[in-house]
Amino acid sequence: MNPKRTYETTFIVNASLEDANIEVIINNTVDFIENNGGTITTKDKWGRRRLAYPIQKKHNGFYVYLMYDAPATLLPQLERYFQLEENVLRHLSLKMSGHAIEFRKQFLQNRSERMMDTPSTPAASTEAAPEEEVAAA
């Protein structure tokens, strides 16, 4: 029995696909990992972004980040899966060390807290403008 290790994988899906088709590719990838002995700990959809350079004549991609625990035998199978999936433009899988795992979890927690704390409307900037007009008059 292989011990499970923690991995992270980032892959780019062709952004010209419909949202439903992108979801199918993401769900198929998650199912592939889980069916081969892995457990997903983090699934983060970064969304559509412009690529730094064209890949297969595409300028935009839908980025997906996965963190999971899996046996070492899963990684070559996952690499093969990505090569056969024609709508995955690029992928990168890394084995994470203990320090990297703690840093990533702290980063994701801080980011989610920042997203919850952002104000919806900047009230301070709209109130300052009328006072300046009164002082000038």
Side-chain angles (χ1 to χ4, degrees):
M1 183 169 152
N2 292 334
K4 288 191 174 187
R5 299 180 180 138
T6 302
Y7 297 96
E8 68 176 358
T9 297
T10 303
F11 60 98
I12 305 171
V13 180
N14 184 356
S16 64
L17 297 174
E18 296 291 327
D19 288 341
N21 293 340
I22 291 173
E23 280 298 319
V24 167
I25 292 171
I26 294 169
N27 292 334
N28 287 345
T29 304
V30 169
D31 291 342
F32 182 84
I33 292 170
E34 290 174 344
N35 291 339
N36 288 294
T39 55
I40 303 292
T41 56
T42 304
K43 179 172 78 169
D44 195 9
K45 299 174 197 172
W46 294 346
R48 286 182 168 80
R49 305 252 171 117
R50 184 154 178 83
L51 302 173
Y53 54 89
I55 301 173
Q56 299 173 8
K57 298 183 181 178
K58 307 285 190 287
H59 295 279
N60 294 307
F62 190 95
Y63 285 72
V64 180
Y65 170 82
L66 299 174
M67 184 189 296
Y68 53 94
D69 298 323
T73 57
L74 173 67
L75 222 39
Q77 296 171 356
L78 185 62
E79 296 291 321
R80 181 72 177 149
Y81 170 80
F82 282 136
Q83 289 174 355
L84 294 175
E85 178 59 58
E86 62 187 21
N87 289 311
V88 173
L89 303 177
R90 285 283 191 272
H91 63 277
L92 179 65
S93 297
L94 300 172
K95 183 177 105 176
M96 298 186 68
S97 66
H99 296 295
I101 294 168
E102 291 302 317
F103 175 78
R104 181 63 70 181
K105 287 182 180 178
Q106 185 67 31
F107 174 78
L108 291 173
Q109 181 181 2
N110 289 342
R111 190 180 69 169
S112 65
E113 289 173 1
R114 278 184 281 153
M115 291 177 75
M116 300 280 284
D117 292 339
T118 56
S120 59
T121 58
S125 63
T126 58
E127 293 176 7
E131 293 174 9
E132 292 174 12
E133 290 176 14
V134 172

